[in-house]
Amino acid sequence: MFIAIDEDKCMGHGRCYAVAPDLLTDDDEGFVAERGRCWEIPADLVGQAQDAADACPEGAIVVTETAPADA
């Protein structure tokens, strides 16, 4: 499984790293530090990744089975 965070959609609500503290962190401005990235999720953190995607009101986080072609 992979997680991708769209840098343009992220508005810095902070809900994602609040529900996925073992996967995501915040930067100095309150945005998720990993925005603009795509990476493979460790198997034990897939649940947190999905929780983060579900918590994002902007839909900036996508969890997929395969890496996007442009990643």
Side-chain angles (χ1 to χ4, degrees):
M1 298 290 287
F2 291 81
I3 186 169
I5 303 175
D6 187 318
E7 185 172 11
D8 295 329
K9 288 184 180 179
C10 179
M11 295 291 122
H13 295 286
R15 295 176 186 174
C16 58
Y17 52 80
V19 299
D22 298 323
L23 183 65
L24 304 172
T25 57
D26 60 322
D27 66 13
D28 292 339
E29 296 175 351
F31 289 92
V32 61
E34 294 81 7
R35 64 190 166 143
R37 291 187 47 220
C38 177
W39 70 98
E40 190 166 6
I41 307 164
D44 61 327
L45 297 179
V46 170
Q48 282 192 33
Q50 191 58 57
D51 289 346
D54 292 344
C56 181
E58 309 302 336
I61 302 172
V62 177
V63 176
T64 58
E65 289 189 27
T66 58
D70 60 350

mmCIF file of all heavy atoms in Angstrom, residues 28-65:
data_model
loop_
_atom_site.group_PDB
_atom_site.id
_atom_site.type_symbol
_atom_site.label_atom_id
_atom_site.label_comp_id
_atom_site.label_asym_id
_atom_site.label_seq_id
_atom_site.Cartn_x
_atom_site.Cartn_y
_atom_site.Cartn_z
ATOM 1 N N ASP A 28 6.945 23.259 10.769
ATOM 2 C CA ASP A 28 6.927 24.473 11.589
ATOM 3 C C ASP A 28 5.710 25.354 11.338
ATOM 4 O O ASP A 28 5.373 26.201 12.163
ATOM 5 C CB ASP A 28 8.198 25.299 11.343
ATOM 6 C CG ASP A 28 9.444 24.618 11.873
ATOM 7 O OD1 ASP A 28 9.320 23.744 12.762
ATOM 8 O OD2 ASP A 28 10.544 24.949 11.393
ATOM 9 N N GLU A 29 5.047 25.169 10.197
ATOM 10 C CA GLU A 29 3.878 25.975 9.852
ATOM 11 C C GLU A 29 2.563 25.255 10.141
ATOM 12 O O GLU A 29 1.488 25.784 9.857
ATOM 13 C CB GLU A 29 3.943 26.374 8.381
ATOM 14 C CG GLU A 29 5.142 27.266 8.078
ATOM 15 C CD GLU A 29 5.274 27.572 6.597
ATOM 16 O OE1 GLU A 29 4.562 26.977 5.770
ATOM 17 O OE2 GLU A 29 6.112 28.434 6.275
ATOM 18 N N GLY A 30 2.629 24.035 10.676
ATOM 19 C CA GLY A 30 1.435 23.284 11.011
ATOM 20 C C GLY A 30 0.909 22.389 9.902
ATOM 21 O O GLY A 30 -0.117 21.734 10.070
ATOM 22 N N PHE A 31 1.592 22.360 8.764
ATOM 23 C CA PHE A 31 1.218 21.460 7.687
ATOM 24 C C PHE A 31 1.820 20.087 7.943
ATOM 25 O O PHE A 31 2.773 19.948 8.705
ATOM 26 C CB PHE A 31 1.750 21.975 6.342
ATOM 27 C CG PHE A 31 1.052 23.202 5.843
ATOM 28 C CD1 PHE A 31 1.537 24.469 6.156
ATOM 29 C CD2 PHE A 31 -0.085 23.108 5.056
ATOM 30 C CE1 PHE A 31 0.906 25.610 5.705
ATOM 31 C CE2 PHE A 31 -0.729 24.244 4.599
ATOM 32 C CZ PHE A 31 -0.237 25.495 4.912
ATOM 33 N N VAL A 32 1.272 19.073 7.275
ATOM 34 C CA VAL A 32 1.888 17.755 7.359
ATOM 35 C C VAL A 32 3.237 17.835 6.643
ATOM 36 O O VAL A 32 3.343 18.313 5.518
ATOM 37 C CB VAL A 32 0.959 16.658 6.778
ATOM 38 C CG1 VAL A 32 0.649 16.867 5.323
ATOM 39 C CG2 VAL A 32 1.551 15.281 7.006
ATOM 40 N N ALA A 33 4.277 17.427 7.320
ATOM 41 C CA ALA A 33 5.643 17.567 6.801
ATOM 42 C C ALA A 33 5.878 16.737 5.542
ATOM 43 O O ALA A 33 6.733 17.080 4.736
ATOM 44 C CB ALA A 33 6.657 17.189 7.884
ATOM 45 N N GLU A 34 5.118 15.685 5.362
ATOM 46 C CA GLU A 34 5.325 14.781 4.231
ATOM 47 C C GLU A 34 4.525 15.173 2.981
ATOM 48 O O GLU A 34 4.493 14.434 2.002
ATOM 49 C CB GLU A 34 4.955 13.342 4.653
ATOM 50 C CG GLU A 34 5.852 12.759 5.699
ATOM 51 C CD GLU A 34 5.528 13.207 7.138
ATOM 52 O OE1 GLU A 34 4.504 13.879 7.360
ATOM 53 O OE2 GLU A 34 6.309 12.894 8.034
ATOM 54 N N ARG A 35 3.914 16.345 2.974
ATOM 55 C CA ARG A 35 3.100 16.745 1.808
ATOM 56 C C ARG A 35 3.974 16.825 0.563
ATOM 57 O O ARG A 35 5.151 17.164 0.628
ATOM 58 C CB ARG A 35 2.368 18.057 2.059
ATOM 59 C CG ARG A 35 3.248 19.240 2.250
ATOM 60 C CD ARG A 35 2.453 20.445 2.725
ATOM 61 N NE ARG A 35 3.439 21.412 3.197
ATOM 62 C CZ ARG A 35 3.349 22.692 3.043
ATOM 63 N NH1 ARG A 35 2.303 23.206 2.470
ATOM 64 N NH2 ARG A 35 4.292 23.491 3.488
ATOM 65 N N GLY A 36 3.356 16.472 -0.551
ATOM 66 C CA GLY A 36 4.083 16.451 -1.807
ATOM 67 C C GLY A 36 4.843 15.160 -2.050
ATOM 68 O O GLY A 36 5.545 15.030 -3.039
ATOM 69 N N ARG A 37 4.686 14.202 -1.168
ATOM 70 C CA ARG A 37 5.424 12.938 -1.285
ATOM 71 C C ARG A 37 4.479 11.765 -1.518
ATOM 72 O O ARG A 37 3.299 11.838 -1.199
ATOM 73 C CB ARG A 37 6.205 12.656 0.001
ATOM 74 C CG ARG A 37 7.360 13.581 0.241
ATOM 75 C CD ARG A 37 8.210 13.174 1.435
ATOM 76 N NE ARG A 37 8.532 11.751 1.435
ATOM 77 C CZ ARG A 37 8.536 11.005 2.545
ATOM 78 N NH1 ARG A 37 8.269 11.537 3.708
ATOM 79 N NH2 ARG A 37 8.830 9.731 2.476
ATOM 80 N N CYS A 38 5.031 10.687 -2.005
ATOM 81 C CA CYS A 38 4.345 9.402 -2.108
ATOM 82 C C CYS A 38 5.336 8.342 -1.650
ATOM 83 O O CYS A 38 6.488 8.361 -2.074
ATOM 84 C CB CYS A 38 3.908 9.148 -3.550
ATOM 85 S SG CYS A 38 3.126 7.526 -3.779
ATOM 86 N N TRP A 39 4.900 7.429 -0.802
ATOM 87 C CA TRP A 39 5.797 6.390 -0.313
ATOM 88 C C TRP A 39 5.008 5.158 0.105
ATOM 89 O O TRP A 39 3.802 5.220 0.329
ATOM 90 C CB TRP A 39 6.681 6.897 0.831
ATOM 91 C CG TRP A 39 5.989 7.156 2.131
ATOM 92 C CD1 TRP A 39 5.942 6.315 3.212
ATOM 93 C CD2 TRP A 39 5.239 8.309 2.513
ATOM 94 N NE1 TRP A 39 5.216 6.893 4.229
ATOM 95 C CE2 TRP A 39 4.777 8.118 3.821
ATOM 96 C CE3 TRP A 39 4.908 9.497 1.864
ATOM 97 C CZ2 TRP A 39 3.991 9.059 4.494
ATOM 98 C CZ3 TRP A 39 4.131 10.435 2.532
ATOM 99 C CH2 TRP A 39 3.690 10.206 3.832
ATOM 100 N N GLU A 40 5.729 4.052 0.215
ATOM 101 C CA GLU A 40 5.108 2.799 0.628
ATOM 102 C C GLU A 40 4.859 2.835 2.133
ATOM 103 O O GLU A 40 5.719 3.259 2.913
ATOM 104 C CB GLU A 40 5.997 1.619 0.263
ATOM 105 C CG GLU A 40 5.304 0.298 0.441
ATOM 106 C CD GLU A 40 6.033 -0.853 -0.217
ATOM 107 O OE1 GLU A 40 7.159 -0.658 -0.730
ATOM 108 O OE2 GLU A 40 5.472 -1.958 -0.214
ATOM 109 N N ILE A 41 3.694 2.375 2.514
ATOM 110 C CA ILE A 41 3.293 2.377 3.921
ATOM 111 C C ILE A 41 3.726 1.058 4.564
ATOM 112 O O ILE A 41 3.426 -0.009 4.016
ATOM 113 C CB ILE A 41 1.753 2.495 4.056
ATOM 114 C CG1 ILE A 41 1.217 3.686 3.281
ATOM 115 C CG2 ILE A 41 1.341 2.551 5.520
ATOM 116 C CD1 ILE A 41 -0.285 3.622 3.054
ATOM 117 N N PRO A 42 4.387 1.105 5.718
ATOM 118 C CA PRO A 42 4.670 -0.143 6.431
ATOM 119 C C PRO A 42 3.347 -0.855 6.745
ATOM 120 O O PRO A 42 2.341 -0.198 7.065
ATOM 121 C CB PRO A 42 5.365 0.315 7.713
ATOM 122 C CG PRO A 42 5.928 1.668 7.369
ATOM 123 C CD PRO A 42 4.948 2.274 6.412
ATOM 124 N N ALA A 43 3.328 -2.165 6.637
ATOM 125 C CA ALA A 43 2.099 -2.944 6.801
ATOM 126 C C ALA A 43 1.365 -2.637 8.106
ATOM 127 O O ALA A 43 0.132 -2.573 8.132
ATOM 128 C CB ALA A 43 2.414 -4.430 6.705
ATOM 129 N N ASP A 44 2.111 -2.411 9.171
ATOM 130 C CA ASP A 44 1.474 -2.168 10.459
ATOM 131 C C ASP A 44 0.884 -0.757 10.593
ATOM 132 O O ASP A 44 0.215 -0.462 11.581
ATOM 133 C CB ASP A 44 2.443 -2.447 11.608
ATOM 134 C CG ASP A 44 3.676 -1.564 11.587
ATOM 135 O OD1 ASP A 44 4.129 -1.197 10.483
ATOM 136 O OD2 ASP A 44 4.201 -1.256 12.676
ATOM 137 N N LEU A 45 1.108 0.108 9.600
ATOM 138 C CA LEU A 45 0.585 1.475 9.660
ATOM 139 C C LEU A 45 -0.477 1.771 8.603
ATOM 140 O O LEU A 45 -0.914 2.917 8.457
ATOM 141 C CB LEU A 45 1.732 2.479 9.537
ATOM 142 C CG LEU A 45 2.759 2.440 10.668
ATOM 143 C CD1 LEU A 45 3.855 3.470 10.424
ATOM 144 C CD2 LEU A 45 2.098 2.669 12.020
ATOM 145 N N VAL A 46 -0.921 0.748 7.890
ATOM 146 C CA VAL A 46 -1.943 0.949 6.858
ATOM 147 C C VAL A 46 -3.228 1.510 7.466
ATOM 148 O O VAL A 46 -3.866 2.392 6.892
ATOM 149 C CB VAL A 46 -2.211 -0.349 6.075
ATOM 150 C CG1 VAL A 46 -3.425 -0.222 5.176
ATOM 151 C CG2 VAL A 46 -0.977 -0.723 5.252
ATOM 152 N N GLY A 47 -3.609 1.038 8.634
ATOM 153 C CA GLY A 47 -4.812 1.546 9.302
ATOM 154 C C GLY A 47 -4.704 3.027 9.610
ATOM 155 O O GLY A 47 -5.659 3.788 9.397
ATOM 156 N N GLN A 48 -3.542 3.457 10.105
ATOM 157 C CA GLN A 48 -3.335 4.883 10.383
ATOM 158 C C GLN A 48 -3.380 5.700 9.091
ATOM 159 O O GLN A 48 -3.915 6.806 9.073
ATOM 160 C CB GLN A 48 -2.006 5.122 11.095
ATOM 161 C CG GLN A 48 -2.039 4.800 12.561
ATOM 162 C CD GLN A 48 -0.816 5.328 13.281
ATOM 163 O OE1 GLN A 48 -0.261 6.368 12.938
ATOM 164 N NE2 GLN A 48 -0.383 4.607 14.311
ATOM 165 N N ALA A 49 -2.825 5.146 8.018
ATOM 166 C CA ALA A 49 -2.833 5.852 6.740
ATOM 167 C C ALA A 49 -4.265 6.069 6.265
ATOM 168 O O ALA A 49 -4.628 7.171 5.823
ATOM 169 C CB ALA A 49 -2.044 5.073 5.694
ATOM 170 N N GLN A 50 -5.087 5.042 6.364
ATOM 171 C CA GLN A 50 -6.487 5.181 5.948
ATOM 172 C C GLN A 50 -7.228 6.156 6.847
ATOM 173 O O GLN A 50 -8.043 6.958 6.371
ATOM 174 C CB GLN A 50 -7.185 3.823 5.937
ATOM 175 C CG GLN A 50 -8.528 3.861 5.263
ATOM 176 C CD GLN A 50 -8.447 4.340 3.829
ATOM 177 O OE1 GLN A 50 -7.736 3.767 3.008
ATOM 178 N NE2 GLN A 50 -9.156 5.405 3.495
ATOM 179 N N ASP A 51 -6.946 6.125 8.144
ATOM 180 C CA ASP A 51 -7.556 7.088 9.073
ATOM 181 C C ASP A 51 -7.174 8.515 8.694
ATOM 182 O O ASP A 51 -8.009 9.424 8.740
ATOM 183 C CB ASP A 51 -7.111 6.807 10.516
ATOM 184 C CG ASP A 51 -7.720 5.538 11.091
ATOM 185 O OD1 ASP A 51 -8.688 5.003 10.510
ATOM 186 O OD2 ASP A 51 -7.202 5.072 12.133
ATOM 187 N N ALA A 52 -5.915 8.725 8.314
ATOM 188 C CA ALA A 52 -5.449 10.052 7.907
ATOM 189 C C ALA A 52 -6.184 10.520 6.657
ATOM 190 O O ALA A 52 -6.625 11.668 6.571
ATOM 191 C CB ALA A 52 -3.941 10.042 7.672
ATOM 192 N N ALA A 53 -6.312 9.620 5.682
ATOM 193 C CA ALA A 53 -7.024 9.969 4.446
ATOM 194 C C ALA A 53 -8.480 10.305 4.748
ATOM 195 O O ALA A 53 -9.026 11.283 4.223
ATOM 196 C CB ALA A 53 -6.929 8.823 3.447
ATOM 197 N N ASP A 54 -9.113 9.530 5.609
ATOM 198 C CA ASP A 54 -10.513 9.768 5.968
ATOM 199 C C ASP A 54 -10.690 11.076 6.738
ATOM 200 O O ASP A 54 -11.740 11.722 6.634
ATOM 201 C CB ASP A 54 -11.053 8.612 6.808
ATOM 202 C CG ASP A 54 -11.169 7.311 6.026
ATOM 203 O OD1 ASP A 54 -11.134 7.336 4.770
ATOM 204 O OD2 ASP A 54 -11.275 6.250 6.684
ATOM 205 N N ALA A 55 -9.676 11.470 7.491
ATOM 206 C CA ALA A 55 -9.769 12.682 8.316
ATOM 207 C C ALA A 55 -9.516 13.964 7.534
ATOM 208 O O ALA A 55 -9.863 15.049 8.006
ATOM 209 C CB ALA A 55 -8.769 12.591 9.474
ATOM 210 N N CYS A 56 -8.944 13.872 6.352
ATOM 211 C CA CYS A 56 -8.568 15.069 5.595
ATOM 212 C C CYS A 56 -9.780 15.678 4.895
ATOM 213 O O CYS A 56 -10.327 15.081 3.962
ATOM 214 C CB CYS A 56 -7.494 14.733 4.565
ATOM 215 S SG CYS A 56 -6.973 16.188 3.625
ATOM 216 N N PRO A 57 -10.207 16.876 5.318
ATOM 217 C CA PRO A 57 -11.386 17.487 4.702
ATOM 218 C C PRO A 57 -11.140 17.950 3.265
ATOM 219 O O PRO A 57 -12.088 18.154 2.507
ATOM 220 C CB PRO A 57 -11.702 18.673 5.609
ATOM 221 C CG PRO A 57 -10.411 19.003 6.269
ATOM 222 C CD PRO A 57 -9.671 17.702 6.400
ATOM 223 N N GLU A 58 -9.890 18.088 2.890
ATOM 224 C CA GLU A 58 -9.549 18.548 1.540
ATOM 225 C C GLU A 58 -9.352 17.396 0.554
ATOM 226 O O GLU A 58 -9.203 17.630 -0.643
ATOM 227 C CB GLU A 58 -8.264 19.388 1.570
ATOM 228 C CG GLU A 58 -8.256 20.511 2.581
ATOM 229 C CD GLU A 58 -9.392 21.503 2.403
ATOM 230 O OE1 GLU A 58 -9.924 21.628 1.288
ATOM 231 O OE2 GLU A 58 -9.751 22.166 3.393
ATOM 232 N N GLY A 59 -9.300 16.157 1.063
ATOM 233 C CA GLY A 59 -9.049 15.017 0.198
ATOM 234 C C GLY A 59 -7.636 15.012 -0.356
ATOM 235 O O GLY A 59 -7.386 14.498 -1.447
ATOM 236 N N ALA A 60 -6.705 15.574 0.408
ATOM 237 C CA ALA A 60 -5.316 15.683 -0.052
ATOM 238 C C ALA A 60 -4.529 14.391 0.099
ATOM 239 O O ALA A 60 -3.444 14.268 -0.454
ATOM 240 C CB ALA A 60 -4.606 16.801 0.714
ATOM 241 N N ILE A 61 -5.089 13.433 0.825
ATOM 242 C CA ILE A 61 -4.375 12.187 1.098
ATOM 243 C C ILE A 61 -5.081 11.029 0.407
ATOM 244 O O ILE A 61 -6.284 10.851 0.560
ATOM 245 C CB ILE A 61 -4.284 11.920 2.606
ATOM 246 C CG1 ILE A 61 -3.570 13.083 3.301
ATOM 247 C CG2 ILE A 61 -3.581 10.600 2.895
ATOM 248 C CD1 ILE A 61 -3.591 13.020 4.795
ATOM 249 N N VAL A 62 -4.298 10.254 -0.338
ATOM 250 C CA VAL A 62 -4.824 9.105 -1.055
ATOM 251 C C VAL A 62 -4.015 7.881 -0.668
ATOM 252 O O VAL A 62 -2.778 7.921 -0.672
ATOM 253 C CB VAL A 62 -4.760 9.321 -2.582
ATOM 254 C CG1 VAL A 62 -5.244 8.108 -3.330
ATOM 255 C CG2 VAL A 62 -5.556 10.554 -2.978
ATOM 256 N N VAL A 63 -4.718 6.808 -0.335
ATOM 257 C CA VAL A 63 -4.088 5.526 -0.030
ATOM 258 C C VAL A 63 -4.464 4.573 -1.154
ATOM 259 O O VAL A 63 -5.642 4.404 -1.464
ATOM 260 C CB VAL A 63 -4.558 4.989 1.340
ATOM 261 C CG1 VAL A 63 -3.966 3.613 1.607
ATOM 262 C CG2 VAL A 63 -4.189 5.960 2.449
ATOM 263 N N THR A 64 -3.452 3.985 -1.784
ATOM 264 C CA THR A 64 -3.688 3.094 -2.922
ATOM 265 C C THR A 64 -2.867 1.814 -2.778
ATOM 266 O O THR A 64 -1.881 1.783 -2.025
ATOM 267 C CB THR A 64 -3.305 3.775 -4.247
ATOM 268 O OG1 THR A 64 -1.944 4.161 -4.195
ATOM 269 C CG2 THR A 64 -4.179 4.985 -4.518
ATOM 270 N N GLU A 65 -3.264 0.802 -3.531
ATOM 271 C CA GLU A 65 -2.535 -0.469 -3.500
ATOM 272 C C GLU A 65 -1.233 -0.395 -4.301
ATOM 273 O O GLU A 65 -0.293 -1.132 -4.008
ATOM 274 C CB GLU A 65 -3.408 -1.602 -4.011
ATOM 275 C CG GLU A 65 -4.514 -1.946 -3.044
ATOM 276 C CD GLU A 65 -5.259 -3.204 -3.446
ATOM 277 O OE1 GLU A 65 -4.666 -4.065 -4.123
ATOM 278 O OE2 GLU A 65 -6.420 -3.321 -3.067
#
